[in-house]
């Protein structure tokens, strides 16, 4: 009896082993290794990204002459921080969400036209608000330097735009993803811009309020007839440290990137180590650098006016439908555009066109499509 049970048990083990081998042979697929991107692969094609500043002018080199697998024409949009905080807003998150919804509806219209859209945003109002929050609470909570403030606003604004844009894409049935990239921007510690504050941040003040803030040590300047604002240093952007990551997402073709927020977090290379430095980089100059490096088909600066004007604020003011690079440079030299306002926009747009031989457009957010169709806006032509 025992001998018979032993034989049956041995036969069962044999059958089990045979069945296991057959299952593995015919039903189990070998596990594929997880794909990974090496540092060398991310850096591929980006050897020429290093830039040099000469007389405060960016020397821009195109990183990628022909972006492989590009499915749609690429537009880099420089979106003003004022697009999320309008004049008269209290500055709440709900104010910014409401304005972001409007902005994202316009951006999605561009995507529906077949464009691959990539966004750079300003942070003037938000950086000023966070800066003042830091100052006003410094007795109880240590305040942060401006480079950290910029990183905070990159997360804040990026989150709002990313969420509202993804919501609008989903509503329209567009299968795209949105990614916000915390972006560092290398500048030179020797930039002469650190000698004179030119970049306005924060809310607008009356002249009386500005005088009171000056007593507390703030540098206050009048901003293109709109009021007075706190002003800080604005160095020239030289190199986007996260450019390999941004390039790889653009090449993917299914991702809308939000990068270089607030012009990028200003950093310097000190003895081979990257360190933050206080300042706020102009987002239009950062947008120009990004658009040039990724070889964008179009660079758009979306602001709060429909066109550029000569003799702004005078009875003789006149709008510009277009201007060549040479004309733009002439108007800049003649002082037609305010330093903290339209000057960097025209300068950045003309630099993009001069380097790439492609068109740049300056217009308001709600006129973006009309401007692309040539019905409004100011076009900078080669």
């Amino acid at each position: 009896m025992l001998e018979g049970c032993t034989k049956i048990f041995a036969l069962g083990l044999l059958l089990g082993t045979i069945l296991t081998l057959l299952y593995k042979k015919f039903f189990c697929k070998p596990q594929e290794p997880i794909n990974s991107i090496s540092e060398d692969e991310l850096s591929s094609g980006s050897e020429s990204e290093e830039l040099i500043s000469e007389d405060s002018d960016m020397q821009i080199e195109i990183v990628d002459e022909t972006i492989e697998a590009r499915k749609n024409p690429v537009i880099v949009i420089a979106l003003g921080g004022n697009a999320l905080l309008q004049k008269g807003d209290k500055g709440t998150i709900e104010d910014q969400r409401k304005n972001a919804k409007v902005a994202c509806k316009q951006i999605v219209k561009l995507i529906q036209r077949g464009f691959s859209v990539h966004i750079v945003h300003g942070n003037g109002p938000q950086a000023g608000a966070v800066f003042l929050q830091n100052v006003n609470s410094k007795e109880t909570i240590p305040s942060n330097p401006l480079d950290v403030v910029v990183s905070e606003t990159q997360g804040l604004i990026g989150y709002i735009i990313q969420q509202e844009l993804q919501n609008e894409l989903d509503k329209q049935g567009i299968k795209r993803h949105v990614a916000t990239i915390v972006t560092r921007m290398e500048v030179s510690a020797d930039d002469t811009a650190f000698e004179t504050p030119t970049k306005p941040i924060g809310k607008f003040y009356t002249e009386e309020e500005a005088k009171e803030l000056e007593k507390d040590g703030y540098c206050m300047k009048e901003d293109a007839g709109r009021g007075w604002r706190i002003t800080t240093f604005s160095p020239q952007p030289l190199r986007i440290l996260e450019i390999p990551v941004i390039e790889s997402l653009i090449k993917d073709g299914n991702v809308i990137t939000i990068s270089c927020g607030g012009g990028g977090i200003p950093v310097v290379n000190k003895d081979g180590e990257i360190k933050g430095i206080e300042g706020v980089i102009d987002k239009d100059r950062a947008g120009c650098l990004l658009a040039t490096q990724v070889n964008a088909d179009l660079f758009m600066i979306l602001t709060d006016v429909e066109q550029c004007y000569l003799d702004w604020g005078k009875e003789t003011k006149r709008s510009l439908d277009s201007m060549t690079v040479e004309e733009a440079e002439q108007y800049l030299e003649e002082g037609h555009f305010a330093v903290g306002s339209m000057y960097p926009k025209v300068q950045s747009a003309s630099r993009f066109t001069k380097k790439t031989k492609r068109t740049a457009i300056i217009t308001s957010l709600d006129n973006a499509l009309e401007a692309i169709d040539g019905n409004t806006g100011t076009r900078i032509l080669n």
Side-chain angles (χ1 to χ4, degrees), residues 18-288:
I18 292 170
L19 289 171
T20 300
L21 290 172
L22 289 171
Y23 177 80
K24 287 183 177 180
K25 180 174 180 64
F26 293 105
F27 295 96
C28 290
K29 295 181 180 178
Q31 184 176 5
E32 295 180 359
I34 298 173
N35 291 330
S36 61
I37 301 176
S38 69
E39 190 171 323
D40 288 340
E41 286 174 313
L42 280 175
S43 301
S44 177
S46 300
E47 298 298 325
S48 63
E49 69 180 271
E50 187 170 341
L51 305 169
I52 302 170
S53 179
E54 181 177 320
D55 296 328
S56 298
D57 283 334
M58 293 179 291
Q59 302 298 307
I60 305 171
E61 296 186 19
I62 298 175
V63 175
D64 203 341
E65 290 285 350
T66 55
I67 295 183
E68 297 176 3
R70 178 177 280 183
K71 299 176 182 177
N72 304 93
V74 169
I75 296 181
V76 170
I77 291 177
L79 187 65
N82 290 319
L84 297 188
L85 274 179
Q86 303 286 340
K87 190 173 182 179
D89 285 347
K90 294 180 179 179
T92 65
I93 293 298
E94 285 310 309
D95 282 339
Q96 297 184 66
R97 284 191 193 281
K98 175 191 69 179
N99 294 326
K101 282 179 183 289
V102 175
C104 290
K105 285 180 184 295
Q106 295 299 319
I107 292 169
V108 168
K109 288 178 182 178
L110 293 174
I111 296 168
Q112 289 173 321
R113 278 282 192 95
F115 293 106
S116 174
V117 177
H118 301 277
I119 302 165
V120 174
H121 64 78
N123 70 343
Q126 295 84 356
V130 174
F131 177 73
L132 286 177
Q133 286 172 350
N134 282 327
V135 170
N136 293 335
S137 62
K138 66 182 180 181
E139 300 300 327
T140 53
I141 302 172
S143 59
N144 292 322
L146 265 176
D147 58 305
V148 176
V149 169
V150 173
S151 71
E152 290 181 69
T153 60
Q154 280 194 2
L156 185 155
I157 300 170
Y159 161 61
I160 293 173
I161 295 175
Q162 181 173 328
Q163 184 151 285
E164 297 304 328
L165 185 52
Q166 192 68 65
N167 285 340
E168 186 62 24
L169 288 168
D170 293 344
K171 285 179 185 176
Q172 300 299 327
I174 301 171
K175 297 186 182 299
R176 297 279 181 89
H177 301 288
V178 187
T180 300
I181 303 154
V182 176
T183 316
R184 297 165 297 162
M185 184 73 75
E186 186 174 340
V187 302
S188 171
D190 298 323
D191 193 323
T192 55
F194 287 112
E195 298 173 6
T196 306
T198 58
K199 175 66 178 174
I201 62 172
K203 60 179 286 189
F204 291 93
Y205 296 92
T206 64
E207 186 174 356
E208 291 72 23
E209 291 171 328
K211 287 179 179 178
E212 289 300 316
L213 286 168
E214 283 178 335
K215 293 178 183 177
D216 293 331
Y218 297 106
C219 178
M220 307 296 296
K221 290 187 178 181
E222 198 272 336
D223 184 3
R226 296 176 293 179
W228 292 71
R229 298 173 78 183
I230 295 172
T231 309
T232 187
F233 305 114
S234 185
Q236 290 282 345
L238 301 181
R239 186 167 69 100
I240 303 168
L241 270 62
E242 280 66 38
I243 192 68
V245 178
I246 299 167
E247 282 183 318
S248 66
L249 292 174
I250 292 176
K251 287 179 181 179
D252 176 88
N254 293 310
V255 181
I256 300 160
T257 63
I258 303 169
S259 67
C260 302
I265 303 163
V267 298
V268 294
N269 190 325
K270 189 173 182 180
D271 300 324
E273 186 176 2
I274 301 297
K275 295 185 177 181
I277 189 169
E278 292 211 50
V280 177
I281 299 166
D282 186 86
K283 65 100 179 35
D284 299 313
R285 289 174 178 146
C288 170

Side-chain angles (χ1 to χ4, degrees), residues 227-370:
W228 292 71
R229 298 173 78 183
I230 295 172
T231 309
T232 187
F233 305 114
S234 185
Q236 290 282 345
L238 301 181
R239 186 167 69 100
I240 303 168
L241 270 62
E242 280 66 38
I243 192 68
V245 178
I246 299 167
E247 282 183 318
S248 66
L249 292 174
I250 292 176
K251 287 179 181 179
D252 176 88
N254 293 310
V255 181
I256 300 160
T257 63
I258 303 169
S259 67
C260 302
I265 303 163
V267 298
V268 294
N269 190 325
K270 189 173 182 180
D271 300 324
E273 186 176 2
I274 301 297
K275 295 185 177 181
I277 189 169
E278 292 211 50
V280 177
I281 299 166
D282 186 86
K283 65 100 179 35
D284 299 313
R285 289 174 178 146
C288 170
L289 181 56
L290 177 64
T292 305
Q293 287 198 299
V294 302
N295 201 22
D297 297 280
L298 177 66
F299 177 41
M300 291 194 79
I301 297 177
L302 300 182
T303 182
D304 53 1
V305 293
E306 189 173 339
Q307 292 181 299
C308 299
Y309 290 83
L310 297 180
D311 296 337
W312 176 259
K314 302 177 181 178
E315 291 183 2
T316 55
K317 81 169 184 178
R318 56 199 185 277
S319 62
L320 293 168
D321 294 330
S322 66
M323 52 181 154
T324 64
V325 170
E326 290 76 14
E327 288 171 336
E329 291 174 345
Q330 179 185 337
Y331 296 149
L332 288 166
E333 189 175 341
E334 291 173 352
H336 282 282
F337 309 115
V339 172
S341 179
M342 190 57 72
Y343 186 98
K345 292 173 174 53
V346 174
Q347 183 187 59
S348 300
S350 62
R351 282 176 172 174
F352 170 79
T353 299
K354 187 173 185 177
K355 186 67 181 181
T356 66
K357 314 301 181 190
R358 293 177 176 176
T359 300
I361 297 175
I362 301 173
T363 191
S364 58
L365 176 64
D366 56 341
N367 281 294
L369 277 175
E370 286 291 305

